[in-house]
Every structure is written in C-alpha cells, then in structure tokens.
Amino acid sequence: MIHRHSGLVFVGHTLAVPLNHADPDGPRIEIFAREVRETGSAAEGRPFLVYLQGGPGSRSPRDLPVWLRRAARDYRVVLLDQRGTGRSTPLTRQTLAGIEDQAGYLAHFRADSIVADAELLRARLAGDRPWSVLGQSFGGFCAVTYLSFAPHGLREVIITGGLPGLTATAEDVYRAAYPRVLAHNERFFKRYPEDEAIARRVVDALRDQDARLPAGDRLTPRRFQTIGINLGSNARFDLLHHLLEEAFAGNELSELFLRRVDAAVSFAEQPLFAVVHEAIYGQGAATGWAAHRVRDEFPAFDLDAGGPVRFTGEMIYPWLFEEDPALVPLAAAADRLAGKPDWAPLYDVDRLAANEVPVAAAVYFDDMYVDRDMSLATAAHIGNLRPWVTNEYAHDGLGRDEHVLDRLLKMVQD
C-alpha cells in the first residue's frame, strides 16, 4: 500500500521471517516496515537507511519526528516495526494466549533476532547493497549487535544514546542506573520543591485508600513510584509536576490523576518491554530479576523508611506481573526468562575491535537510561567509531532537534 502526504511517500513492506533464525524451516512470523521517501523520481534512487527504535518493545514512529524529515533528504528511510511490535506479528497477552511455551517463544525477541530480521528485509529491499542504520537507545544496542554479526550489510551506522556495555551483566547495568535515577530525582525536586510534600501525600493516600485505576486494578504505592521512568526525557520531565499538582480532589485522589497515572504505569500498550527488558542484558547467565535484587543496595528508594519519596526509573520488578492486568498472564513466562541461564552473546568484542564500518555515536553526558561510562568504554573499543559526548540534550535529543542527526551524519560521512 502506498500513501502520500506532507510532501512524503509512504510504502508498506511485509515479510515472513523465521521465529527462530537457527531453524529457518520452523514457525514463521511477519515483520512490517514502512518506507518513507520524498516525492519525485530522484528520491527513488537514494540509499536506504533503516531506523531501529528504542525500547525494547516499541513500534517505529507513526508521527513525523524532526529527524525523519532530515533523514529523508538523503535516504529512503525504512521504519522497521521490530518483531513483536506494531504490525510485526504483535506480541500481547492476547496473541500469546494460544502459545504453549511462552518463554521459549519470547526468547527470540532480542537484538540478535531483530538484526537477522533486518538482514532479510535488506535483501528484499536493497538486494546485495549494504544500507545505513540509525539506532536510538535500544536501537543502538541492536546496531552494535549488527556490527558484531552482520557488518557486511552495513554502509554506515549512527547511534544516539545507545552504546551498551559489551560485557556488563544486568546487575552491573542496574547498579550503575539507580544513582543516575536518584540524580534525576534531585534535579526534579530542585525545580519543583513543593512536589516533595505532594508525592509523600500521594503515597500515604494510596496506603489508606483503595484507589482503583480505570481497568479496576489497585494503584499501590510501589507501582506509583515507577512513574519516574519519564524523568530521563526532556519531553516528559515536567509532566510529572503537572500530574502531581492535580493529584487531589479534596482529600481523595482525583479521577484525572488516576487516569493519567494509568497511562504512565500500565504496560498494556507495550508488554514486550516489561517481559524482555532484563533479557536484553543477558549473555551467558541468568539475569535473575537483577533490578529487584540490586534495589536493596539503595535505601533512598525505600518507601517505608520515612524519608522523601524518590521515584524509580527504567526498572522492571517481578511484582509488576502481579499488579498490572496486562502483565499478569505473562508472569510465568517472565519468571522463566529471568532464570534462563544460557543466553547467547549479543556482541562480538573481537570483531567490534576490528570494525571498519564508519560509526558515529552521540553519548548523552547526563543520560538517565544508558550509562555514560559504559558507553564511552564501548566507544573506545569499537574500531572506526567517532563519539560525540554532549550535555546539550537528554536521551530524547534525536527527536527534539534535527541538528543531532545532522551533526552525526557529517561525522560519519567525513
């Protein structure tokens, strides 16, 4: 199907791929990608650039972010719905209901499988020509996996806020993440000091009241605490303040507040994020609910200690699969994934050291989601990579300012 609007042409592509690329004759799923190019015959001859979205478990953009218009000036942009998202055989509690071995199925939704899908899509669209990759956040992790296992398919790679620790365990990741989340809490409450008392009042009210979200599930203090996941984004940082300032209707939590909290803490639209989030760090060992275990090392997040409320960030806890209706049916599968001991490697450190594909990477100095020090160590290890370290942007810099992509394109093409 072809659509035209806003001065652009949109072409949908659907491709059947193996669920398990090691078993090409086994069950198959579909992946979907939307090609975006400028109008006119000249655009049809431009090289391809595939965009790998952050996540895991997020579909490609449905709007027109500023980076997309910039990229379309030089490329035919391929917006890939990574497997399990959007129109790529979506993964939800409904679609998983008929699958007997859910954990075994879900184990095929990491970066290695996404890269293998991308290679089949490249063969369909570009033939034997390599294409360019733009990876944002988790999409950058996928780009590093791409460089590890299929560099022949790459012309150039651009990464924004997504250089992973090549050998970091899940525990390493979360042990480094909790202090960064605390720092973003301090920044938030410095900007809005009155919100400390409101946050405490909300937590106390949730202990005393049976506050129900629109789906009928109870909002507990610890689930409310997870709303800090948005503090690492410039676009959403201040939304927490506007949520808190309308939290109460008299002495009760307002209906408006509960609806907005539900939109922020429910995984109904993105269950794959919760189910495989720790698995993206698994290499050769079980992750074992690392975020939950490591949290005890940071008493500032203890809601029972009597101190100020501090929100958590991009952490997934086992009790979420008891409290979020969208995740309850996936609890057993998630627990099995947390105990899986034999995750395959996601990165080839030797091949990355010898890399010859041009790479440019933005490392956000104050990134809440991806550790700066791990990113810089990875940047130093990957051959032919030029890093740009900046504190001008938060993790969502790519979507906020087209100059981010413009600068990285110049770096990678010099």
Side-chain angles (χ1 to χ4, degrees), residues 347-358:
Y347 313 112
D348 185 328
V349 293
D350 292 334
R351 181 172 285 181
L352 290 171
N355 174 63
E356 295 182 355
V357 178

Side-chain angles (χ1 to χ4, degrees), residues 96 101-104 106-107 271-279 287-289 316-322 327-340 343:
L96 279 173
D101 182 9
Q102 293 184 350
L106 287 161
L272 186 57
F273 178 95
V275 177
V276 304
H277 194 268
E278 285 200 2
T287 59
W289 296 113
I316 300 299
Y317 303 106
W319 50 261
L320 284 168
F321 292 83
E322 302 169 3
L327 298 182
V328 169
L330 308 178
D335 199 53
R336 280 188 59 197
L337 288 180
K340 181 177 168 62
W343 291 112

Side-chain angles (χ1 to χ4, degrees), residues 146-164:
Y146 215 143
L147 286 165
S148 295
F149 300 118
H152 57 274
L154 300 173
R155 177 185 180 212
E156 61 199 3
V157 171
I158 298 164
I159 295 171
T160 54
L163 283 175

Side-chain angles (χ1 to χ4, degrees), residues 93 212-213 216-220 222-223 265 267 274-275 289 292 316-335:
R93 58 177 175 169
R212 297 284 167 169
L213 297 173
D217 46 315
R218 183 175 181 178
L219 179 61
T220 62
R222 62 184 180 181
R223 195 166 167 209
V265 304
F267 285 97
V275 177
W289 296 113
H292 185 65
I316 300 299
Y317 303 106
W319 50 261
L320 284 168
F321 292 83
E322 302 169 3
E323 297 187 9
D324 187 336
L327 298 182
V328 169
L330 308 178
D335 199 53

